[in-house]
Amino acid sequence: MATLTHDVDVSPEIRELLEKYENYLRGQRSLSDNTVRVYLTDLASFDRYINESGQDLTDMNRRMARSYLAWLATEARETRHPYSGRKQKEGYARVSIVRKLTALRSFYRFLVQQGMFKHCPVPSGRSLQVKVEKPLPSFIGKQETVRLLEAPDEDDLYGMRDRAILEVLYSCGVRLAEIEGMDLPDVNFDQRQILVEGKGSKERWVLFGQPTANVLLKYLEETRPQLLDGPTEALFLNRYGQRLSRRSIEKLVKGYAARAGLRDGVHTHTLRHTFASHMLEGDADLRVIQELLGHSSPTTTQIYTHITKQEARAAYLNFHPRAQSD
């Protein structure tokens, strides 16, 4: 199988190490192709930094880490001025810098395993005083959700398929990679549940209600046979009878959001956030939501409680007669 490292622009000096690192990420950490690609791309930034600064992998220490972060924040990216079209350099956002630091620390921990270092020389983000405010997840209201789900034309071949995709995204709260990877045997209509493969190849069952079951059955009985072109177990098919890609799913969600008159920025993960927020609004236990979302830590799920508190405050200030001063 071709390695993803070959698609990354890095110097020959580091390429061989990155190929071994890619095998480590796949074999020992069981990361998905998409996650591996992000790690490798982030390390390509570090490769550019050491080449520009005239340093070496073995020079890593606290001072070099600080210098790398400063480089990322000021001149790491080459862009074009929106008006003049001239090339210019600008820094990455703080959240991207933190992600790149995480990738760098992971890489050096791998180099420790390779015997190149006695311990990881990359300090933690906390010790380097790199802090990022996590934005609250964006979600849509219940009426907006209904408009989105009803946006596809069910009399159209692809509209029926797209309605089923939107139903599964919202009803099950699944990630983009999870819905892309769904196969026919994964769907259990008797129990109204779907087996999905989440991060780290961890499997879990997600649930769906009768409305989603009705739409899925109609898609499987009427639409999928017309799209099918050769044997495949993929649940959602493209016009060529093959598995529908993530890019296509992202594109159709964005298109139907626009058709439904929703704000810009609604994407597949918005429906996952919406699923969690609506569950919490319905007084679902946070641990149940954690299990359905496939979060390994309850801390990740707790961010949705902040959304509910924020919405409650907004509703109080808007509607309670004693909330506003005269």
Side-chain angles (χ1 to χ4, degrees):
M1 182 178 64
T3 65
L4 296 175
T5 305
H6 290 299
D7 298 329
V8 181
D9 185 16
V10 292
S11 60
E13 293 77 14
I14 198 175
R15 185 173 298 280
E16 185 176 348
L17 281 174
L18 283 186
E19 288 178 352
K20 293 180 180 179
Y21 178 59
E22 179 181 347
N23 291 332
Y24 158 78
L25 292 177
R26 294 177 183 278
Q28 294 192 33
R29 297 189 56 184
S30 301
L31 299 183
S32 67
D33 282 354
N34 191 50
T35 304
V36 171
R37 186 178 289 106
V38 171
Y39 271 72
L40 296 177
T41 303
D42 283 343
L43 289 171
S45 298
F46 180 66
D47 181 53
R48 282 194 293 115
Y49 162 76
I50 59 177
N51 286 327
E52 289 184 18
S53 62
Q55 300 183 81
D56 189 77
L57 280 174
T58 57
D59 295 329
M60 176 55 68
N61 54 26
R62 181 181 296 274
R63 178 177 296 180
M64 182 176 175
R66 286 185 178 277
S67 174
Y68 175 51
L69 295 184
W71 180 81
L72 286 172
T74 56
E75 57 180 352
R77 287 193 299 172
E78 189 175 80
T79 62
R80 289 188 179 274
H81 191 277
Y83 300 114
S84 67
R86 292 179 180 176
K87 290 183 179 180
Q88 59 185 12
K89 287 198 172 182
E90 63 179 34
Y92 285 95
R94 291 177 72 85
V95 66
S96 298
I97 293 174
V98 171
R99 191 193 67 230
K100 288 177 182 293
L101 180 61
T102 300
L104 185 65
R105 189 179 300 111
S106 171
F107 179 56
Y108 271 93
R109 285 173 178 165
F110 164 73
L111 296 183
V112 171
Q113 290 189 14
Q114 296 295 300
M116 293 181 61
F117 295 88
K118 291 183 179 180
H119 56 82
C120 180
V122 182
S124 68
R126 180 174 298 179
S127 68
L128 290 172
Q129 298 181 339
V130 180
K131 297 180 180 179
V132 175
E133 289 291 330
K134 288 188 176 181
L136 291 178
S138 175
F139 69 103
I140 57 179
K142 293 179 181 178
Q143 291 184 348
E144 293 177 306
T145 304
V146 172
R147 293 210 312 269
L148 177 61
L149 296 179
E150 294 179 349
D153 180 3
E154 294 185 33
D155 293 328
D156 177 76
L157 180 65
Y158 300 107
M160 189 65 244
R161 177 203 63 187
D162 298 347
R163 172 67 188 269
I165 290 172
L166 293 173
E167 285 279 354
V168 170
L169 283 169
Y170 170 62
S171 299
C172 303
V174 291
R175 301 178 177 95
L176 177 60
E178 293 169 348
I179 192 170
E180 179 203 32
M182 287 180 182
D183 291 328
L184 288 175
D186 299 333
V187 184
N188 185 325
F189 282 98
D190 291 334
Q191 300 295 324
R192 292 213 294 266
Q193 58 187 16
I194 304 174
L195 183 65
V196 300
E197 183 177 311
K199 290 185 176 180
S201 299
K202 294 181 180 178
E203 292 185 338
R204 74 181 188 282
W205 288 100
V206 295
L207 307 175
F208 58 90
Q210 191 58 52
T212 303
N214 295 339
V215 173
L216 260 179
L217 278 171
K218 188 174 181 181
Y219 160 71
L220 291 175
E221 292 173 355
E222 300 178 12
T223 305
R224 191 178 181 278
Q226 297 183 61
L227 296 174
L228 194 62
D229 184 21
T232 177
E233 290 190 331
L235 180 60
F236 294 112
L237 305 180
N238 60 24
R239 65 181 61 204
Y240 305 108
Q242 304 300 314
R243 187 181 301 275
L244 192 66
S245 68
R246 298 182 198 182
R247 186 182 295 266
S248 296
I249 297 172
E250 288 177 313
K251 185 177 179 180
L252 71 87
V253 171
K254 183 177 180 180
Y256 286 118
R259 182 183 296 185
L262 306 185
R263 56 173 170 74
D264 291 339
V266 173
H267 48 76
T268 54
H269 223 65
T270 306
L271 291 176
R272 178 170 162 85
H273 295 323
T274 301
F275 160 85
S277 300
H278 290 178
M279 287 282 291
L280 199 59
E281 287 176 11
D283 292 331
D285 190 289
L286 200 62
R287 291 171 298 179
V288 173
I289 301 175
Q290 175 191 344
E291 178 69 24
L292 292 174
L293 289 174
H295 287 161
S296 57
S297 169
T299 305
T300 310
T301 315
Q302 283 173 352
I303 193 170
Y304 296 105
T305 64
H306 299 311
I307 296 176
T308 302
K309 291 176 182 177
Q310 189 179 59
E311 291 293 303
R313 178 176 176 81
Y316 176 80
L317 293 175
N318 286 330
F319 301 116
H320 197 283
R322 297 287 188 182
Q324 302 292 343
S325 58
D326 293 334

